[in-house]
């Protein structure tokens, strides 16, 4: 049994930490939102008042935070975890952030003699709840091997993409494609509906045809087509539009750094930005882009 500190108990971190508890790990949790901590304590975790309290005695620290600014403020600086954590503790950041920030945190950790890897995930809230996430890791081989022992309790697939930051690049590449697939699937289903077709029948047709893709298989954007998709729950509780826009900005920055042409992602980014301007859309699930094509 490992002693695990889990920091960031939102849509993803909450169910991930629960899976660690289900596998009888000793988990201490921290989040800025007290209700999120309480919910995990009720499920069997130890609650901490500060991140420092959470990591005391931890073998492994896992963070699942919204963006790079949160990750850097957690780990770096005089108050950051790297300045106090034991050298035997492995730090695993599962947030989706830019590769440069991941390398910055990793290099500060290395200077302090502490191991750090980036391990962003794919699979959404449903994958987090089911323990079937895909972990995409960047870092040293021995640290990745150590991380697998704990990440296996939350995921079904684990990849070592390369050096520190490589996990983040791979994750951004995946999400830029996801944004395009979701926008394209939404556009297509709305056209079918406008022409009098049943979106469920249209989805079934595409699932058996060349337009088949992950959004149709797991995450249909049209309300009522798929019971457990965020679309059938008022677009609540999934991957927020503002987080997709964050990832698209990171992907476009990564493309600019190497001079890559990304016209599909640029179009998807404009669509998601336009969508986010709608009242309350920033916190809706990203599949609500479907409403933009109505
Ligand atoms: P979320 O906003 O639901 O959760 C983030 C949590 O972090 C919140 O509970 C917040 O209170 C907490 N938090 C913020 N700053 C903190 C701090 N300094 N200390 C402790 N807690 C802090 O976001 P999410 O959907 O869980 O996403 C988390 C990360 O996972 C993001 O980087 C996102 O891009 C990525 N991701 C999300 C999904 C998804 O489907 N939601 C899928 C894959 C990857």
């Amino acid at each position: 049994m490992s002693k695990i500190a889990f920091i960031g108990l939102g849509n993803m971190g909450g169910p991930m930490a629960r899976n660690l508890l289900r596998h009888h790990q000793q988990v201490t949790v921290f989040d800025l939102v007290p209700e999120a901590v309480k919910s995990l304590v009720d499920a069997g975790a130890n609650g901490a008042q500060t991140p420092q309290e959470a990591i005391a005695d931890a073998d492994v620290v896992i963070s699942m935070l919204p963006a790079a600014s949160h990750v850097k403020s957690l780990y770096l600086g005089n108050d950051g975890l790297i300045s106090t954590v034991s050298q035997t503790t492995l730090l695993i950041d599962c947030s989706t952030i830019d590769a440069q920030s991941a390398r910055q945190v990793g290099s500060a950790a290395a200077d302090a003699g502490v191991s750090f890897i980036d391990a962003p995930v794919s699979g959404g809230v449903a994958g987090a709840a089911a323990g079937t996430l895909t972990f995409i890791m960047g870092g040293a081989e021995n640290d990745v091997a150590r991380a697998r022992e704990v990440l296996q309790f939350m995921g079904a697939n684990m990849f070592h993409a390369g050096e520190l930051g490589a996990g983040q690049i791979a994750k951004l590449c995946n999400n830029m494609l996801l944004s395009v697939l979701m926008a394209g699937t939404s556009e297509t289903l709305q056209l079918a509906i406008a022409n009098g077709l049943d979106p469920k029948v249209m989805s079934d047709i595409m699932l058996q045809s060349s337009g088949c893709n992950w959004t149709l298989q797991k995450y249909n954007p049209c309300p009522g087509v798929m019971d457990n998709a965020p679309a059938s729950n008022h677009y609540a509780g999934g991957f927020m539009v503002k987080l997709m826009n964050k990832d698209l900005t990171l992907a476009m920055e990564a493309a600019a750094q190497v001079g890559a042409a990304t016209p599909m992602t640029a179009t998807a980014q404009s669509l998601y930005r336009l969508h986010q301007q709608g009242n309350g859309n920033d916190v809706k699930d990203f599949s609500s882009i479907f409403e933009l094509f109505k």
Side-chain angles (χ1 to χ4, degrees):
M1 183 177 66
S2 299
K3 291 182 188 164
I4 302 166
F6 205 112
I7 297 169
L9 307 166
N11 286 331
M12 294 295 288
M16 288 167 72
R18 274 170 202 277
N19 276 327
L20 292 174
L21 290 170
R22 273 188 205 110
H23 286 90
H24 312 294
Q25 304 303 295
Q26 188 177 320
V27 185
T28 304
V29 297
F30 174 74
D31 193 289
L32 296 177
V33 178
E35 293 76 32
V37 174
K38 182 175 181 312
S39 166
L40 262 295
V41 168
D42 290 347
N46 303 309
Q49 302 285 330
T50 63
Q52 281 76 11
E53 187 189 330
I55 66 160
D57 296 334
D59 303 314
V60 176
V61 175
I62 299 175
S63 49
M64 192 51 165
L65 301 173
S69 58
H70 309 90
V71 175
K72 288 200 260 192
S73 76
L74 177 71
Y75 287 112
L76 301 178
N78 290 338
D79 300 333
L81 296 187
I82 287 172
S83 67
T84 52
V85 75
S86 152
Q87 288 189 334
T88 58
T89 305
L90 173 65
L91 308 178
I92 305 175
D93 181 44
C94 293
S95 327
T96 304
I97 64 173
D98 60 289
Q100 204 179 344
S101 295
R103 289 187 202 112
Q104 186 185 345
V105 176
S107 125
D111 289 347
V114 178
S115 296
F116 172 91
I117 67 163
D118 50 308
V121 306
S122 178
V125 172
T132 56
L133 290 172
T134 296
F135 286 92
I136 312 165
M137 296 177 274
E141 186 71 54
N142 54 335
D143 296 333
V144 165
R146 217 176 129 196
R148 283 176 196 268
E149 289 169 24
V150 169
L151 300 182
Q152 61 165 328
F153 299 129
M154 302 178 286
N157 303 291
M158 283 178 255
F159 294 98
H160 185 190
E163 296 297 306
L164 207 59
Q168 296 294 353
I169 296 289
K171 168 66 184 167
L172 293 178
C173 288
N174 178 75
N175 271 25
M176 59 195 267
L177 178 57
L178 172 63
S179 73
V180 171
L181 291 173
M182 187 58 89
T185 300
S186 296
E187 176 182 287
T188 303
L189 286 174
Q190 289 286 19
L191 177 66
I193 292 166
N195 281 279
L197 271 71
D198 179 337
K200 171 84 173 75
V201 173
M202 185 67 223
S203 296
D204 288 342
I205 292 168
M206 289 193 288
L207 280 165
Q208 300 304 326
S209 307
S210 44
C212 182
N213 68 78
W214 185 87
T215 71
L216 287 165
Q217 291 169 323
K218 305 267 179 154
Y219 220 101
N220 197 295
C222 179
V225 171
M226 196 174 264
D227 283 347
N228 54 0
S232 297
N233 185 29
H234 309 286
Y235 298 107
F239 180 42
M240 289 183 269
V241 169
K242 65 179 179 183
L243 290 181
M244 176 53 98
N245 269 322
K246 171 209 56 161
D247 288 2
L248 290 173
T249 300
L250 297 179
M252 292 298 280
E253 283 169 3
Q257 280 165 17
V258 293
T262 50
M264 307 298 285
T265 310
T267 301
Q269 183 181 39
S270 290
L271 291 170
Y272 280 98
R273 279 186 179 158
L274 196 62
H275 183 48
Q276 186 169 334
Q277 287 164 15
N279 191 19
N281 285 355
D282 56 338
V283 294
K284 284 187 186 171
D285 179 73
F286 80 113
S287 63
S288 61
I289 192 88
F290 180 75
E291 296 177 328
L292 192 69
F293 296 99
K294 208 175 256 180

